[in-house]
Amino acid sequence: MSTISEAEVAARVESLLRKMSLEEKVGQLTQIAGASFMPGPAPEDIIRKGGAGSVLWLNDSKQFNVLQKIAVEESPSKIPLLFALDVIHGYRTIFPVPLAMASSWDPEVPERAQSVAAKEARAAGLHWTFGPMLDIARDARWGRIVEGAGEDPCLGAAMAAAQVRGFQGPYLGAPEHVVACAKHFAGYGFADGGRDYDPVYLPEAQLRNVVFPAFQAAVKAGVGTFMSAYMDLNNVPASGNRWLLHDVLRNEWGFKGFVVSDAMAVGNLIIEGFARDGRDAACRALIAGLNMDMASGTYPQHLAGLVEDGTLKLSDIENAVRPILAIKIRMGLFEQPYIDEAKLEQVVATPEHRQEARLAAQRSMVLLRNEGGLLPLAKSLKKLAVIGPLADSMEATEGSWMVFGHTPAAVTILEGIRSKLPGTNVSYAPGPEIRRDIPSFFEDIMPTEKKPLETPEEAEAAFQTAIATARQADLVVMVLGETADMAGEAASRASLDLPGRQEELLEAVVALGKPVVLVLLNGRPLSIGWAAEHIPAILEAWEPGSEGGNAVADILFGDANPGGKLPVTFPRKASHAPLYYARDLSHLPEDSFQYRSRYWDGPTTPLYPFGFGLSYSTFSITNLKVSSPQIEVGDSLNVTADVTNGGAQVGDEVVQLYIHQRAGSDSRPKRELKGFERITLNPGETKTVTFHLGPAELSYWSTAAGKWVQEAEAFDVWVGADSQATLHAEFTVVR
Ligand code: BGC
């Protein structure tokens, strides 16, 4: 555990506070941009006056030392800076995007990944990452679905805790680790229509039963910081929402760290039609419980004045400063403010880290279809064509949310396949390029060199070349999906179709009559209805990171057996969003003919359900047992099932447990995931999986009761390989 006691931290905080001026205290509540795209005074000048507690949007080890020296040698109270950046799925070694890591259904995957990310980031001089992103998202149009763990609170909570452990290590301040930040609190994933930043209207029951569990799991895992969300939540913007930031987070959950706003969010309280002006915004955010203003400049401009005229008390400011100083003390920044710049290159992107990334990518991929056992492919293939605009794209392989200033260094899918098959003729053609219709605003902030737009004639020529290349091959691997900037922040879509001419290309290649394998690189579920019927083998590789190409090749050629499962429902069409498995029942029985009355233009069932994924092995799950048919409120029971690998090779199955409470003070979702375990089985091997159901799993926040309840009711329980599992048992809770 931490070498430094709570009492010692508290004493050191108080002694610092005693010597700080009001301006310096406000400075600690101020995060400034180290980037050149931000207007305003130079960071050096602000820091010298004690006007900043933290710097973001800077990724320059040398400059970290320069700025830190100014803070600890020249500023009045010599308090070190916290350097912060978005290290979302890797610093130099890029891991699969978080949605992909959630597809592993193995919390060890994100835990190990984030611990590598932390080690690399810390060596570079960063202390604090703006992750994990814990927003539950049920609308695939929302671009930021890629940053989270998908649609489910139980899976989300497990991934949340794992990521906090990975980033922070065994305790806050552990060497080679960074402070984590649970974001975006709260409800951001439910933006109206999936449009980024749009308001969110969520009943308290949804917040507490669906949105909060991942955040509370992060608190329990000891997360150091929280980030308030941008959007308006039930008419009170999250960054000025005292119920969220104070009543729930601190009073109910006992969070002791600090809250940073999302970028500019304090100032934006005015734009949101909430705060009258900057003064009002600063005052209301602080009172709401928001400690640090990320880059809006509203706190430094107004807080001191608000204290001087008596609107705020000095103690309001000091209470906000305390947890920030405490984290700096715990991180050992007063003892070791600098980093050894020369060491960085020895720590980052080592072969060990790349190997971790490869394993994580293998475990994150989801096999969606494998008709006739087309996969794994034989390495003896003579002529293979790799086709598609993403097949040789390092950016698409590493995915969205790259660390500021990162240069992609991924093994692409084409390279991975080529190095797996040195003796095979592997030809390649990208086909027509794909692009966003409306460019990302990040292109204005961080301009990257882009090729000029392809003309329709060039696109047609590329299309024909791709067909001609495919025609020469014995088998075609199509690599389709989305470019990195098509998912992520400000990257929502109205359609979930394959962008550009990809679908047309896919259909034209299939028309050649060759066996086709589809590898998807994308940051959200896509509506691939045609492919789901016509392409015999589909591998959802997501955005698999630096080693993505090798991991895809490992799976395609049988050196790894896929075992990932979808953490989100794949809808047939974008217009079906939000589509998720854990919905409440309607007034009609699900199997009745009237139930067809939902839409008349096609089924609303998922294309692929939550929890779904295939393997090269075949598993059976049998012998479901409930340890007791009846328990009392407050008691627990065990649910067991036997899992057998009937295939010819070692493989993984993710065994999932779902429950349904049949009646109660509120109606409950038709199914809710309450436990899961990814297990590895040898051919012919059987293991018994045991799940625990106790008060935590059987309680919920009831709208009718206005509180958490555990009710004496009958329950259904299913155990299986996805959210449509049919193996069923029941039990009753009595009082
Ligand atoms: C994003 C956050 C991110 C922050 C700092 C914001 O635009 O919403 O997720 O941490 O920028 O880069």
Side-chain angles (χ1 to χ4, degrees):
M1 277 309 286
S2 168
T3 47
I4 173 159
S5 72
E6 287 235 355
E8 190 188 337
V9 173
R12 284 176 63 182
V13 167
E14 295 314 311
S15 99
L16 283 167
L17 278 175
R18 277 194 291 276
K19 63 181 186 188
M20 291 164 72
S21 66
L22 174 59
E23 282 67 28
E24 280 178 276
K25 288 171 187 164
V26 172
Q28 289 304 306
L29 307 182
T30 303
Q31 185 173 53
I32 60 165
S36 51
F37 59 76
M38 292 292 288
E44 288 83 347
D45 298 337
I46 302 173
I47 295 163
R48 194 167 286 115
K49 293 189 194 133
S54 174
V55 174
L56 87 158
W57 298 327
L58 180 70
N59 184 17
D60 178 341
S61 303
K62 217 168 171 178
Q63 187 66 3
F64 287 147
N65 278 338
V66 169
L67 296 182
Q68 193 67 297
K69 192 159 191 291
I70 297 174
V72 300
E73 292 186 10
E74 298 177 39
S75 79
S77 297
K78 310 196 167 9
I79 298 168
L81 295 161
L82 265 180
F83 292 114
L85 202 64
D86 295 274
V87 179
I88 304 299
H89 53 115
Y91 177 77
R92 189 77 68 80
T93 309
I94 306 303
F95 285 81
V97 286
L99 187 65
M101 291 202 275
S103 306
S104 72
W105 289 62
D106 174 6
E108 245 192 60
V109 167
E111 180 168 349
R112 292 170 74 127
Q114 302 305 26
S115 128
V116 169
K119 188 172 179 187
E120 295 191 351
R122 190 72 194 262
L126 291 163
H127 309 124
W128 179 22
T129 179
F130 299 128
M133 191 278 218
L134 304 181
D135 299 311
I136 298 299
R138 295 177 163 184
D139 187 334
R141 295 171 298 181
W142 190 54
R144 304 198 77 168
I145 196 168
V146 64
E147 295 172 55
E151 73 180 50
D152 185 73
C154 172
L155 182 63
M159 295 297 155
Q163 292 191 77
V164 172
R165 289 193 299 269
F167 281 130
Q168 296 192 165
Y171 58 90
L172 198 58
E176 301 187 334
H177 286 83
V178 295
V179 183
C181 181
K183 74 183 186 185
H184 309 82
F185 199 51
Y188 190 17
F190 289 78
D192 259 3
R195 292 176 297 270
D196 211 2
Y197 311 133
D198 264 11
V200 169
Y201 301 96
L202 269 182
E204 186 169 355
Q206 283 288 93
L207 282 167
R208 291 190 179 272
N209 292 321
V210 178
V211 171
F212 286 172
F215 288 99
Q216 196 173 6
V219 172
K220 285 191 185 141
V223 73
T225 69
F226 259 59
M227 186 187 292
S228 64
Y230 275 131
M231 67 326 123
D232 189 295
L233 174 68
N234 300 330
N235 300 338
V236 183
S239 295
N241 194 316
R242 187 171 161 89
W243 176 74
L244 268 183
L245 305 182
H246 181 270
D247 299 357
V248 173
L249 180 59
R250 277 147 172 139
N251 275 7
E252 286 183 31
W253 299 351
F255 174 67
K256 296 276 189 298
F258 71 86
V259 178
V260 65
S261 73
D262 203 337
M264 317 291 167
V266 178
N268 292 356
L269 292 174
I270 309 166
I271 306 175
E272 277 170 314
F274 181 71
R276 218 170 296 125
D277 49 29
R279 192 175 176 280
D280 192 31
C283 185
R284 288 165 80 179
L286 192 93
I287 288 176
L290 195 149
N291 306 67
M292 189 182 276
D293 171 356
M294 184 191 286
S296 87
T298 314
Y299 273 11
Q301 207 184 335
H302 297 287
L303 282 184
L306 283 161
V307 174
E308 276 148 15
D309 71 16
T311 311
L312 290 173
K313 297 193 288 293
L314 181 62
S315 60
D316 295 328
I317 305 291
E318 290 180 341
N319 286 339
V321 174
R322 280 189 180 93
I324 298 173
L325 294 176
I327 280 188
K328 293 184 175 186
I329 293 166
R330 288 198 182 281
M331 290 296 285
L333 300 187
F334 288 86
E335 292 74 24
Q336 265 189 353
Y338 304 116
I339 47 144
D340 182 350
E341 297 157 36
K343 279 218 176 118
L344 175 62
E345 291 308 316
Q346 299 160 27
V347 176
V348 292
T350 59
E352 294 75 35
H353 291 182
R354 297 283 297 209
Q355 182 59 17
E356 285 277 353
R358 184 169 179 163
L359 292 176
Q362 287 173 356
R363 289 180 80 73
S364 299
M365 290 177 193
V366 185
L367 183 63
L368 294 177
R369 196 159 194 249
N370 195 16
E371 286 304 291
L374 177 60
L375 295 179
L377 301 170
K379 289 180 190 160
S380 56
L381 269 170
K382 289 280 167 287
K383 282 191 285 176
L384 182 78
V386 179
I387 307 283
L390 306 174
D392 199 27
S393 162
M394 289 211 234
E395 287 82 2
T397 308
E398 289 195 336
S400 65
W401 250 138
M402 277 309 106
V403 165
F404 208 71
H406 172 77
T407 312
V411 176
T412 66
I413 311 307
L414 176 66
E415 289 167 349
I417 291 175
R418 282 197 169 140
S419 70
K420 181 72 77 188
L421 304 179
T424 305
N425 173 355
V426 181
S427 55
Y428 158 66
E433 70 165 12
I434 54 170
R435 280 204 201 194
R436 289 170 55 129
D437 304 339
I438 302 172
S440 167
F441 77 81
F442 289 109
E443 281 186 34
D444 299 340
I445 304 174
M446 290 172 268
T448 47
E449 245 183 77
K450 280 234 159 141
K451 283 196 299 181
L453 208 64
E454 222 170 47
T455 63
E457 295 72 33
E458 287 165 341
E460 183 55 28
F463 191 96
Q464 295 307 333
T465 306
I467 301 295
T469 308
R471 190 174 282 123
Q472 302 304 316
D474 302 328
L475 184 138
V476 185
V477 176
M478 303 277 301
V479 186
L480 308 179
E482 298 180 316
T483 56
D485 67 355
M486 288 178 177
E489 187 176 355
S492 293
R493 301 178 61 192
S495 158
L496 296 176
D497 295 346
L498 288 165
R501 295 182 63 186
Q502 293 183 102
E503 181 84 30
E504 191 191 341
L505 184 62
L506 182 66
E507 294 183 18
V509 169
V510 169
L512 299 174
K514 317 264 171 185
V516 174
V517 174
L518 173 60
V519 175
L520 291 168
L521 295 189
N522 49 305
R524 58 156 65 75
L526 294 176
S527 49
I528 46 160
W530 190 88
E533 270 183 44
H534 296 93
I535 309 296
I538 306 176
L539 179 67
E540 176 53 86
W542 302 114
E543 297 172 339
S546 302
E547 287 288 322
N550 283 331
V552 164
D554 291 337
I555 289 191
L556 294 185
F557 295 95
D559 291 332
N561 191 351
K565 301 273 183 167
L566 295 178
V568 278
T569 302
F570 267 50
R572 294 172 191 274
K573 295 180 179 177
S575 53
H576 293 181
L579 194 71
Y580 53 97
Y581 82 93
R583 65 179 163 77
D584 287 359
L585 293 159
S586 83
H587 72 292
L588 296 173
E590 295 251 317
D591 53 3
S592 78
F593 70 93
Q594 293 132 309
Y595 202 69
R596 286 186 235 138
S597 46
R598 302 166 95 201
Y599 286 147
W600 59 254
D601 56 351
T604 54
T605 49
L607 186 60
Y608 295 110
F610 173 81
F612 175 79
L614 303 171
S615 160
Y616 298 152
S617 311
T618 41
F619 297 96
S620 57
I621 303 177
T622 55
N623 206 17
L624 175 60
K625 280 191 196 138
V626 172
S627 62
S628 160
Q630 187 172 308
I631 57 167
E632 285 185 17
V633 170
D635 285 350
S636 301
L637 56 84
N638 284 336
V639 178
T640 54
D642 295 340
V643 192
T644 304
N645 180 356
Q649 51 190 306
V650 183
D652 287 8
E653 179 59 291
V654 179
V655 190
Q656 304 160 39
L657 172 131
Y658 296 87
I659 64 163
H660 171 234
Q661 179 177 327
R662 288 189 193 153
S665 54
D666 288 14
S667 50
R668 301 300 302 137
K670 61 185 269 197
R671 282 186 186 204
E672 290 177 283
L673 181 75
K674 290 294 176 181
F676 62 90
E677 196 180 336
R678 180 167 174 158
I679 56 168
T680 303
L681 290 174
N682 289 316
E685 189 183 354
T686 299
K687 272 186 193 162
T688 302
V689 181
T690 304
F691 297 104
H692 174 89
L693 288 177
E697 289 76 24
L698 301 175
S699 303
Y700 68 96
W701 201 90
S702 154
T703 297
K707 60 176 185 191
W708 286 95
V709 294
Q710 190 196 345
E711 297 175 327
E713 294 290 349
F715 285 81
D716 295 298
V717 49
W718 297 266
V719 172
D722 62 46
S723 57
Q724 296 182 345
T726 51
L727 190 63
H728 174 260
E730 51 194 37
F731 64 91
T732 313
V733 177
V734 295
R735 218 170 273 287

